[in-house]
Amino acid sequence: MSFVTRGFHGRRRDDDGRLPPGQHLTGDFPVLSAGPTPRIPLDEWELWVATEDGTRHTWSWTELMALAADEPTVDIHCVTSWSKLDTTWRGVSLDTILADVETAADYALVHSYGGYTTNLPLEDLLDGKAWVAYEFEGDDLHPEHGRPARLLVPHLYFWKSAKWVRGIELMLEDSPGFWEQLGYHDYGDPWREQRYQGD
Amino acid sequence: MARAAIPGGLSARRAWRPARLLERRVESASATTLVLDVTDWPGHLPGQHVDVRLTADDGYTATRSYSLAAPAEGDRVEVTVQRVPDGEVSPFLCDVFQVGDAVELRGPVGGWFVWRPDQPGPVLLVAGGSGVVPLMAMLRARPAVGPPFRLVYSARQPDDVIYREELAALAGTDGVDVRHVFTRRGAPVGADGADGADGADGAGHVRPPGRLRSADLEGAGWGPADAPTCYVCGPTGFVEAAATILASAGHDAARIRTERFGPTGS
Ligand SMILES: Cc1cc2nc3c(=O)[nH]c(=O)nc-3n(C[C@H](O)[C@H](O)[C@H](O)COP(=O)(O)OP(=O)(O)OC[C@H]3O[C@@H](n4cnc5c(N)ncnc54)[C@H](O)[C@@H]3O)c2cc1C
């Protein structure tokens, strides 16, 4: 390491190697959003999955609640450089939601209430790696953290974990979402520091 | 795409560049402006930020984001850092970092929370605390004959106001309106006669201290029908509150752009 900032010692924290490069721990839960917080009444809420041939599957809030829930404990990493370890959630695995969906798609574009979108490979939503989460640390999600439900994909930077999730579009080809069009990375692996396009 | 490109090619924006401190300016009891010399700076748009990386002699690094406070002048860029008590990086930058010392910096980052001078319509800026920094960059970039700008700036008390004198001067400029909101303690009446700098409105009424409320964001020329682009920046709780007020007043969500700096107290 050739570059040194004179007089800077920093504060090392013992994270057992669980902190990806360039990240620091926070005890709070910061918020990254592009606009105001959408408010969605539960009786109007709906989750849809659309496949490449236009088939749509939908779940009402009651139907989502009827699906088997998981309670994952995961570390989360935001591209603005904070990480939070051992966060606990309750939600439905995407494996459960997509179980009966027929598709040959390789990519997903996730849509949110409020217009936000984010893209990721479909395989990153499968095999117990992603959830539609509706509780955080034992409580309903706070509105600014995605109430009533958000995507939770903890192995990627947290902007991929779309808040206020409303639909998943399955596609044969990748198509950039909101931050991705603005220069953020299409994949976003925190361990490879894929913050911006080209990283 | 019709949009002006964001300055700097991708690889240029991703590269870490040494940034040497040229000058520091104390702005308030808790905030300091750092003027940095960054080799081959590609330029930036008002509202964008940089990532700043500090490296200790054993290789340990810490990275934080800071908004660009002013339009670039060649290789000179400015950031304004508010000291967060017990913070790892901000107290170092405010108190220890000396003229001649260097950090590394990359950017500019962010293409959404920006004001483009060719963008039509009035601009409503809503700042909480150090959230004023990228909004000041927008005010500083506004041409003398430009669209109407209004800044509503919430701070705890008059001592915490950043860019105080420059804002007072700007408030006297045609087309610029500056309003202060104090949440804890306002200035004594008549303590500071500068336009609105004491929390008084144009008519000389002093606003009692308290959190931002809908009346603070209302006014002729600034309603939903006037279609201002709204830029809201500050701590998370403040941004949530302000964006909610604007959305409930009927401002189109697509015209409310937000940037959240840090965690809430709640
Ligand atoms: C896009 C972006 C732009 C930013 N622009 C600016 C800017 O122009 N000027 C500026 O001063 N800051 C800005 N920030 C915030 C900045 O990046 C740091 O978070 C801040 O300086 C604190 O870092 P620290 O290392 O001192 O504190 P840390 O060591 O990270 O945190 C110490 C404690 O303070 C809390 N904390 C962290 N940040 C804040 C905060 N902002 N307010 C209150 N409590 C906090 C932490 O949760 C922790 O409990 C920006 C952040 C983002 C994401």
Side-chain angles (χ1 to χ4, degrees):
Chain A
M1 184 64 56
S2 53
F3 189 93
V4 169
T5 296
R6 196 163 66 85
F8 178 68
H9 305 295
R11 211 187 273 155
R12 273 137 267 235
R13 285 166 234 209
D14 186 14
D15 59 56
D16 307 328
R18 287 165 67 187
L19 215 44
Q23 297 290 110
H24 68 282
L25 289 178
T26 174
D28 300 296
F29 193 173
V31 175
L32 176 70
S33 320
T37 295
R39 319 261 157 181
I40 312 107
L42 289 185
D43 55 359
E44 289 169 25
W45 185 91
E46 170 183 278
L47 176 73
W48 54 261
V49 171
T51 64
E52 67 277 16
D53 63 7
T55 312
R56 266 174 88 93
H57 306 255
T58 60
W59 293 262
S60 67
W61 184 254
T62 321
E63 286 165 341
L64 184 80
M65 291 300 110
L67 298 176
D70 290 347
E71 294 194 346
T73 297
V74 296
D75 300 345
I76 57 180
H77 311 291
C78 178
V79 71
T80 59
S81 90
W82 57 265
S83 292
K84 213 171 152 56
L85 305 183
D86 297 322
T87 59
T88 59
W89 303 80
R90 184 176 171 81
V92 180
S93 165
L94 263 294
D95 294 319
T96 306
I97 291 168
L98 298 174
D100 297 325
V101 173
E102 284 182 26
T103 180
D106 285 327
Y107 297 95
L109 185 65
V110 181
H111 295 253
S112 295
Y113 289 91
Y116 179 81
T117 55
T118 189
N119 57 309
L120 66 178
L122 178 56
E123 64 175 23
D124 287 90
L125 292 178
L126 302 174
D127 297 330
K129 292 199 288 284
W131 295 265
V132 169
Y134 47 80
E135 280 180 22
F136 173 71
E137 311 272 322
D139 282 317
D140 292 348
L141 291 183
H142 277 276
E144 67 266 31
H145 288 302
R147 181 179 298 177
R150 71 179 300 161
L151 199 66
L152 174 65
V153 197
H155 69 286
L156 300 179
Y157 279 127
F158 216 45
W159 87 82
K160 299 284 183 183
S161 292
K163 298 189 274 196
W164 314 293
V165 63
R166 80 185 299 184
I168 301 173
E169 188 180 346
L170 301 176
M171 305 182 302
L172 300 175
E173 282 173 38
D174 202 5
S175 167
F178 179 86
W179 291 116
E180 293 83 2
Q181 288 175 35
L182 292 167
Y184 284 82
H185 202 276
D186 276 322
Y187 187 61
D189 180 353
W191 295 96
R192 286 185 277 164
E193 274 209 271
Q194 293 171 334
R195 297 175 197 269
Y196 310 120
Q197 298 286 355
D199 272 355
Chain B
M1 282 211 134
R3 287 189 133 180
I6 294 161
L10 275 174
S11 52
R13 279 192 279 140
R14 270 167 37 229
W16 289 105
R17 305 157 192 276
R20 200 169 46 84
L21 186 62
L22 293 176
E23 187 188 320
R24 48 192 306 134
R25 276 200 305 276
V26 173
E27 300 279 5
S28 73
S30 54
T32 299
T33 291
L34 307 175
V35 183
L36 298 157
D37 177 52
V38 190
T39 313
D40 295 329
W41 181 247
H44 58 265
L45 295 167
Q48 290 190 294
H49 64 272
V50 292
D51 289 343
V52 172
R53 179 165 78 176
L54 312 183
T55 306
D57 50 15
D58 63 352
Y60 170 86
T61 62
T63 306
R64 298 290 186 276
S65 302
Y66 291 98
S67 302
L68 292 152
E73 276 182 60
D75 287 349
R76 266 172 83 100
V77 306
E78 292 192 19
V79 297
T80 302
V81 180
Q82 171 115 39
R83 192 185 298 105
V84 170
D86 304 327
E88 180 177 23
V89 170
S90 59
F92 174 84
L93 291 175
C94 286
D95 305 326
V96 183
F97 191 42
Q98 294 298 316
V99 168
D101 289 352
V103 293
E104 284 175 298
L105 179 153
R106 76 170 179 177
V109 183
W112 168 246
F113 195 80
V114 296
W115 178 69
R116 294 163 194 270
D118 58 357
Q119 185 179 309
V123 176
L124 177 57
L125 308 172
V126 186
S130 57
V132 73
V133 177
L135 307 184
M136 190 65 184
M138 298 181 192
L139 268 172
R140 285 170 166 166
R142 176 186 180 272
V145 185
F149 268 53
R150 172 190 264 185
L151 169 68
V152 179
Y153 178 6
S154 166
R156 288 219 301 231
Q157 53 200 21
D159 281 355
D160 289 325
V161 171
I162 307 176
Y163 316 125
R164 183 189 178 85
E165 282 166 25
E166 191 179 348
L167 285 175
L170 274 168
T173 318
D174 239 16
V176 179
D177 178 27
V178 176
R179 271 157 204 246
H180 290 272
V181 169
F182 297 115
T183 56
R184 296 275 170 81
R185 189 173 59 76
V189 180
D192 183 336
D195 299 24
D198 55 355
D201 63 20
H205 299 122
V206 174
R207 178 196 184 278
R211 282 174 183 271
L212 188 78
R213 36 185 183 262
S214 50
D216 296 322
L217 299 179
E218 290 163 3
W222 297 100
D226 304 298
T229 307
C230 309
Y231 296 88
V232 186
C233 186
T236 301
F238 175 86
V239 172
E240 285 298 318
T244 303
I245 291 172
L246 289 168
S248 1
H251 289 275
D252 183 352
R255 280 189 287 94
I256 307 175
R257 301 187 183 199
T258 60
E259 182 112 281
R260 289 144 169 105
F261 269 10
T264 49
S266 54

